[in-house]
Amino acid sequence: MTGKALTLLLLPAMVSAVSCSVKEYRDDCPCYLSLDLRRAFDDIVSAPEELMVSVYSPENCYRETFTPGSCPDSIEIRVPRGEVTVSALTVRNSRSVKDRSLLISYGDQADSIYAFSAVVDTGGEQARECVDLHKQYSTVYLKFLWPEEGDSPSGIPKLKVKGSTNGLSIDVLAPSRGAFCLELPEQDLTSPHRFRIPRQSDKSLALEIYDRGSGKLIDSIALGDHIDGTGYDWNAVDLKDIYIEIDYTKTDAVITVKEWDGGDSFRKTI
């Protein structure tokens, strides 16, 4: 990360006593930004490996990571006057963060990403923000019904999920555009596949079906369009999980999409 790291101060009581000299211009004095981290892990189902906190100003970036056991109740950071962007997110490996984006490696599913972002006015001597993380991924439960193995030249087909969103811009919590590809493991068709996808930038998400023996593409199903048909909200503060059933045992494939915890369903024969 380019830019000079800002000073991290862990002694709020001592810092609060620091003030600018009356002989200095007020705009040249720093602002002391206090970040309350007590609620950061409240709604997270499983503990992440790290919490990464970043503060961006036009000239600088401060960044620090904490493990759940070492995360303090609050931190105080010396920042420039004006305006800064605060972000916090859960990460399994900090190397997956490039500049201001959390990227998903090609061939991998999304991590269980929880994140927070806010623009904070730092025009005064002190500022405060409470960090409250929200769910930035959806777990997809895909039930794929295929004819008996005798009806297919190579038995159970190979399934790949592809899209054009490969991560998250952590400063504004917007989807990061890039190639996403995940090959689903071969498994008993009586059990649904389960995989995670990030907040989507468009409706390009698709399921590609290949003959396992020859590698020939059999079909491509526009999952993004079908999910959109349920009224699913990719801009929700916390993303909901999705249930998809694709029935190839009938003369025509039947696709049913619904939110896992209830909501409208979308059913289409293709």
Side-chain angles (χ1 to χ4, degrees):
M1 171 61 63
T2 58
K4 182 181 178 181
L6 306 185
T7 305
L8 171 63
L9 303 173
L10 296 176
L11 299 174
M14 295 176 61
V15 172
S16 61
V18 178
S19 61
C20 295
S21 166
V22 294
K23 296 180 181 180
E24 296 174 328
Y25 290 106
R26 304 291 293 183
D27 288 346
D28 292 336
C29 297
C31 172
Y32 293 95
L33 171 63
S34 176
L35 298 180
D36 186 341
L37 304 177
R38 289 175 295 179
R39 295 173 54 190
F41 297 100
D42 283 357
D43 298 320
I44 298 177
V45 176
S46 58
E49 294 186 4
E50 293 180 321
L51 174 71
M52 176 178 286
V53 179
S54 303
V55 180
Y56 302 101
S57 70
E59 297 83 16
N60 301 289
C61 173
Y62 156 80
R63 178 165 287 165
E64 182 79 0
T65 57
F66 305 95
T67 60
S70 70
C71 188
D73 288 343
S74 65
I75 58 175
E76 191 159 84
I77 308 163
R78 187 176 185 268
V79 298
R81 290 289 182 99
E83 195 174 78
V84 298
T85 299
V86 177
S87 75
L89 77 158
T90 58
V91 292
R92 293 188 180 277
N93 186 339
S94 58
R95 290 194 297 265
S96 61
V97 176
K98 307 296 183 185
D99 194 15
R100 300 191 182 194
S101 295
L102 173 66
L103 300 180
I104 303 167
S105 298
Y106 193 82
D108 290 343
Q109 63 178 326
D111 285 335
S112 300
I113 307 166
Y114 291 82
F116 165 86
S117 176
V119 176
V120 181
D121 181 358
T122 57
E125 291 185 3
Q126 293 184 334
R128 178 182 174 84
E129 188 66 41
C130 181
V131 173
D132 187 9
L133 305 184
H134 294 278
K135 187 168 176 280
Q136 306 297 315
Y137 70 97
S138 174
T139 298
V140 178
Y141 297 83
L142 172 64
K143 187 175 183 180
F144 191 88
L145 304 178
W146 189 253
E148 296 294 330
E149 290 192 16
D151 297 334
S152 173
S154 302
I156 298 173
K158 181 185 296 184
L159 305 177
K160 290 185 180 181
V161 180
K162 292 187 176 181
S164 57
T165 302
N166 71 339
L168 181 75
S169 297
I170 60 178
D171 53 345
V172 293
L173 303 189
S176 175
R177 293 188 62 85
F180 175 88
C181 180
L182 174 65
E183 182 175 333
L184 302 183
E186 184 178 3
Q187 66 182 45
D188 185 350
L189 293 178
T190 61
S191 302
H193 291 276
R194 183 174 65 181
F195 56 92
R196 296 181 298 271
I197 56 176
R199 191 179 293 275
Q200 296 291 292
S201 60
D202 55 27
K203 298 187 291 183
S204 66
L205 196 70
L207 178 71
E208 294 184 348
I209 306 169
Y210 294 85
D211 181 84
R212 189 167 294 276
S214 67
K216 180 181 178 181
L217 178 65
I218 298 173
D219 199 358
S220 179
I221 297 174
L223 295 183
D225 285 335
H226 296 310
I227 293 171
D228 185 65
T230 68
Y232 187 89
D233 185 7
W234 287 111
N235 294 314
V237 175
D238 290 281
L239 292 182
K240 295 181 179 180
D241 295 339
I242 301 169
Y243 175 80
I244 302 174
E245 182 177 292
I246 302 176
D247 189 350
Y248 255 87
T249 64
K250 305 181 185 303
T251 303
D252 298 306
V254 177
I255 302 173
T256 304
V257 181
K258 66 178 180 181
E259 294 177 14
W260 186 250
D261 60 354
D264 295 336
S265 60
F266 178 87
R267 187 177 178 89
K268 184 177 182 180
T269 301
I270 61 174

